[in-house]
């Protein structure tokens, strides 16, 4: 028996790109740091919130690369000036990636109380009906 995938299912035409996106997202390998929330803030808007304690605005970068929202954090090293008796606050670099659907746009990003909020919105899709004329064959 042959396993059907999105790209080979007879009623799903042109979904090969979606299948590639799913495969790519499975390979991203996001670890559990930093923790994050995703909330729906209205019918067509979302907010991703990352807990980035210890990071400043200059330590973070947000980019959209090939329909993927990529959030990176890299703290600057203070050198050997500080001596820690216990170090429980993570100070490591990270990269978090989120695949964006067509029509989803990244809005503003706000840093507040150690939380990075990234707002997303989705444009309302237009309903379209297309009539195809049938011509008489030769």
């Amino acid at each position: 028996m042959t396993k059907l995938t999105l790209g080979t299912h007879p009623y799903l035409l042109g979904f090969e790109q979606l299948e590639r996106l799913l495969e790519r997202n499975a390979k991203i390998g996001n670890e559990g740091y930093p923790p994050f929330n995703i909330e729906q803030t209205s019918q067509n808007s979302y907010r991703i919130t990352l807990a980035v304690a210890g990071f400043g605005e200059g330590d973070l970068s947000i980019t959209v690369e090939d329909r993927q929202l990529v959030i990176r954090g890299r703290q600057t090293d203070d050198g050997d000036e500080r001596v820690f008796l216990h170090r429980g606050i993570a100070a490591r670099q990270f990269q978090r990636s989120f695949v964006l659907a067509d029509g989803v746009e990244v809005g503003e990003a706000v840093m507040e109380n150690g939380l990075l909020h990234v707002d997303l919105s989705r444009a309302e899709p237009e309903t379209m009906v297309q009539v195809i004329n049938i011509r008489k064959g030769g």
Side-chain angles (χ1 to χ4, degrees):
M1 178 172 218
T2 305
K3 179 180 177 185
L4 290 178
T5 62
L6 288 175
T8 61
H9 195 281
Y11 300 120
L12 298 175
L13 303 175
F15 283 89
E16 297 83 7
Q17 181 181 3
L18 180 59
E19 187 170 18
R20 285 192 301 272
L21 267 175
L22 290 171
E23 288 174 3
R24 184 176 69 187
N25 196 40
K27 293 177 185 176
I28 289 174
N30 277 331
E31 57 182 45
Y33 178 77
F36 67 95
N37 293 336
I38 300 175
E39 63 182 298
Q40 186 169 3
T41 53
S42 76
Q43 182 70 23
N44 292 311
S45 62
Y46 310 92
R47 173 173 270 188
I48 298 172
T49 301
L50 284 84
V52 291
F55 287 86
E57 290 88 353
D59 299 328
L60 300 168
S61 72
I62 303 170
T63 58
V64 177
E65 305 168 10
D66 192 26
R67 301 304 312 156
Q68 214 170 322
L69 171 65
V70 180
I71 303 171
R72 293 180 179 94
R74 177 178 297 223
Q75 289 180 320
T76 55
D77 189 14
D78 290 344
D80 295 328
E81 299 171 11
R82 300 164 73 182
V83 177
F84 291 95
L85 300 178
H86 171 76
R87 190 166 189 169
I89 299 173
R92 60 182 189 234
Q93 65 183 12
F94 70 87
Q95 177 175 314
R96 276 268 181 212
S97 300
F98 302 90
V99 176
L100 302 175
D102 286 338
V104 173
E105 298 296 327
V106 178
E108 71 174 349
V110 178
M111 185 82 137
E112 177 182 44
N113 299 324
L115 299 174
L116 175 65
H117 303 289
V118 180
D119 292 323
L120 309 169
S121 62
R122 181 182 56 190
E124 188 69 34
E126 295 180 25
T127 304
M128 183 183 358
V129 176
Q130 181 180 3
V131 176
I132 308 299
N133 293 322
I134 304 171
R135 67 177 182 87
K136 188 174 183 175

